[in-house]
Amino acid sequence: MHFTKKGWIALSLTGLVLLAACGNDSGETKDKASEPVKFLETGELLTLNTTAEEDFVSFTAQNQVFEGLYTLDKKDNFVPGVAASMPEINADQTEYTIKLRKDAKWSDGSQVTADDFVYAWRRAVDPKTAPSYAALFKDSIKNATEIHEGKLPVSELGVVAPDAETLKITLKKPVPYFISLLSFETFFPQKQAFVEKQGDKYGTDAKHTLYNGPFVMQNWDGNTSKNWTYAKNPEYWDKKNVDVDKISVQVAKDINAGVNLYNTKEADRAPLSGDFAKQYKDRADFLTEKDALVSYLRFNQNRDGKATPLANNALRHALNLAVDKEALTSEILGDGSFPANGLLPKDFVQNPKTGADFRTDSGDHLLYNKTEASKYLAQAKKELGTNTITLELLGDDQDTTKTIFAFLKNQFETNLPGVKINIKTMPAKSATELTRSSDYDMSLAAWMPDFKDPWTYSSLFLSDYYNNSMHYNSPKYDQLVKSTDTTLATDPSARWNAFVASEKVLLDDDAAILPLYQHQVAVLQNPDITGVQKHTFGSPYSYKFIQVSKN
């Protein structure tokens, strides 16, 4: 829901792969575990303040140097972090009582307390300090909305600390995915005395930040810094399970540079995309990592107060059926990404009763079919009263985006005679602004989930959702999705069925968007490096589990 993070994904595909390289700096046989692991990032680290605006690099960094009440294990299961155990939940699922472990420490040796969570969460909803991710609190915790709107003081937030090791949380309603939120960075703790002493400098560089995660930050001088280091935190409660002593990071925005580092044995891991992925896909050290990010085209139905051609249902169907997604993923992307035949990704959430994947229960939607596309196009031309339809395709100016757009333009204009596509690319920030103001016809988008629940995807297309810039308005869709957050919130099976039904409305009935592909991360990786944990939601990566072979 955070647009800095999501908008950057939506409009900058080349930078999707965050982690680039790690390794030893010579071919000598020696104790590799004693050497710093070497990573690359594709952009600068902007902030370590978890209640500030955040981007992918910041999310990755924060997940290494901080820890919340719950964290993710190697299989993306929720396990206690600062919490001593899973929460006690009352019968109506609106009150959570969480005990904190006594050995959770800040990097200055002081105990992480329940008050540290109360303080951080109040900052996350206080209109003076709140990030865009305040929406996660407003959707869940009692009085968060009223506080964010300035109607109540922060002291009225539904979270209290009866003692140093007990946190009591009161929700505004049952929230089935609340445990998932508690593993997300914006719900991490902050020590009030330290934060207030640093003032505006808090989280802006290594020395003005306090840590409670597996690592502490070193050598980071601020958001223009091209280098930083994660060093093992001697105060971390689970330090015995952290094998790596140091991870050095440098910024390298060019994928080609990362590949060169790998091929010259100066790096043990390098990201791949496009031609690089196709070139190296048959090598033994080529890997793909699962990702829940789904890329799609938005169809804007109203621009400058006037209906666009995309307000026509038949035209939206024609566009959906005219794209060969198999060709897009295998011939254009070549990085292991695969066609998205629905809104929700594969291997993300499962049926609470049967364990079936969402994609299995919902099935495939709007599959490539030139014959049916032609029929819908004929209907659209008749209803629109024209034989020529011109549409603008908006995106950023990254090379990967341009390549995808060239493919889509060819597909639309070849398979839909009379349709003309004008490509409009520009810097990501400018393209984002046009998208948010609904000044486009079609725009490239993508969504990676913040938490593990269908709501993070399905809520995007509610008629009153802040990120819905398409003027899509379906009372049927609204009713189904909103029921999952209200009347069906405590009925897992019925809630699941409502999500499945809503996807059919969005796609089969309305063809409101054009799902393109589910992203996969392609890398070259030295077999000596293991344990780089890629998450399908929340923070992109955890480094806690990294191991370096001594062979």
Side-chain angles (χ1 to χ4, degrees), residues 8 43 64 95-96 129 144 205 258 333 356 367 448 466 487 493 547:
W8 184 84
Q64 316 320 316
E95 294 182 4
Y96 285 60
T129 53
D205 58 31
L333 298 174
L367 298 178
M448 180 177 174
Y466 78 94
T487 57
S493 292
Q547 294 183 324

Side-chain angles (χ1 to χ4, degrees), residues 309-522:
L310 293 165
N312 183 271
N313 185 295
L315 178 60
R316 298 195 303 271
H317 273 84
L319 292 165
N320 262 283
L321 299 175
V323 176
D324 185 347
K325 301 173 191 177
E326 289 285 354
L328 171 63
T329 54
S330 63
E331 299 173 16
I332 304 302
L333 298 174
D335 58 1
S337 298
F338 54 87
N341 296 318
L343 169 63
L344 268 71
K346 181 181 179 183
D347 298 328
F348 172 54
V349 287
Q350 291 71 43
N351 186 313
K353 185 175 182 180
T354 69
D357 190 74
F358 189 93
R359 291 269 42 90
T360 299
D361 281 359
S362 182
D364 292 332
H365 307 270
L366 303 170
L367 298 178
Y368 176 54
N369 189 318
K370 290 195 293 184
T371 301
E372 289 300 310
S374 295
K375 293 179 182 178
Y376 276 113
L377 179 63
Q379 180 183 343
K381 288 179 177 179
K382 182 178 180 181
E383 292 172 355
L384 292 170
T386 181
N387 285 318
T388 304
I389 300 171
T390 301
L391 298 170
E392 179 186 273
L393 180 56
L394 173 67
D396 72 7
D397 55 2
Q398 297 287 333
D399 288 342
T400 304
T401 303
K402 293 177 180 178
T403 302
I404 292 173
F405 278 12
F407 173 84
L408 292 174
K409 176 180 173 68
N410 178 265
Q411 291 277 288
F412 291 142
E413 295 184 348
T414 300
N415 296 331
L416 300 174
V419 171
K420 178 176 173 54
I421 303 297
N422 294 327
I423 292 176
K424 184 175 185 178
T425 59
M426 58 181 62
K429 182 177 180 181
S430 299
T432 298
E433 291 172 352
L434 290 180
T435 299
R436 291 305 299 265
S437 62
S438 298
D439 191 7
Y440 69 95
D441 293 333
M442 298 184 291
S443 73
L444 187 62
W447 193 260
M448 180 177 174
D450 298 322
F451 50 89
K452 191 174 184 178
D453 190 82
W455 176 266
T456 188
Y457 287 94
S458 301
S459 61
L460 293 173
F461 305 103
L462 292 170
S463 59
D464 58 356
Y465 186 64
Y466 78 94
N467 210 27
N468 178 357
S469 65
M470 310 186 312
H471 296 92
Y472 172 64
N473 187 338
S474 167
K476 185 177 181 180
Y477 184 82
D478 284 357
Q479 187 277 322
L480 284 166
V481 175
K482 289 186 176 182
S483 72
T484 69
D485 198 42
T486 53
T487 57
L488 303 181
T490 57
D491 187 340
S493 292
R495 184 174 184 265
W496 178 267
N497 292 336
F499 278 125
V500 171
S502 71
E503 189 178 73
K504 295 180 185 296
V505 172
L506 181 76
L507 300 177
D508 295 341
D509 294 353
D510 297 339
I513 61 172
L514 196 171
L516 291 171
Y517 65 95
Q518 183 170 338
H519 184 73
Q520 299 287 274
V521 178

Side-chain angles (χ1 to χ4, degrees), residues 147-179:
I147 294 168
H148 192 256
E149 294 175 350
K151 298 176 181 178
L152 287 176
V154 294
S155 59
E156 294 297 310
L157 186 65
V159 56
V160 296
D163 57 61
E165 294 156 19
T166 305
L167 194 67
K168 287 186 174 291
I169 307 163
T170 302
L171 305 184
K172 63 192 296 185
K173 60 189 176 186
V175 181
Y177 50 87
F178 192 64
I179 294 293

Side-chain angles (χ1 to χ4, degrees), residues 175-221:
V175 181
Y177 50 87
F178 192 64
I179 294 293
S180 186
L181 292 181
L182 295 179
S183 70
F184 189 64
E185 279 86 346
T186 317
F187 287 78
F188 285 2
Q190 293 181 348
K191 186 175 179 179
Q192 183 173 1
F194 182 88
V195 173
E196 292 182 350
K197 182 178 180 180
Q198 312 311 311
D200 291 341
K201 293 184 179 180
Y202 174 72
T204 61
D205 58 31
K207 67 180 180 180
H208 290 99
T209 312
L210 193 64
Y211 313 98
N212 77 314
F215 302 94
V216 298
M217 182 68 73
Q218 295 178 347
N219 307 318
W220 179 55
D221 297 327

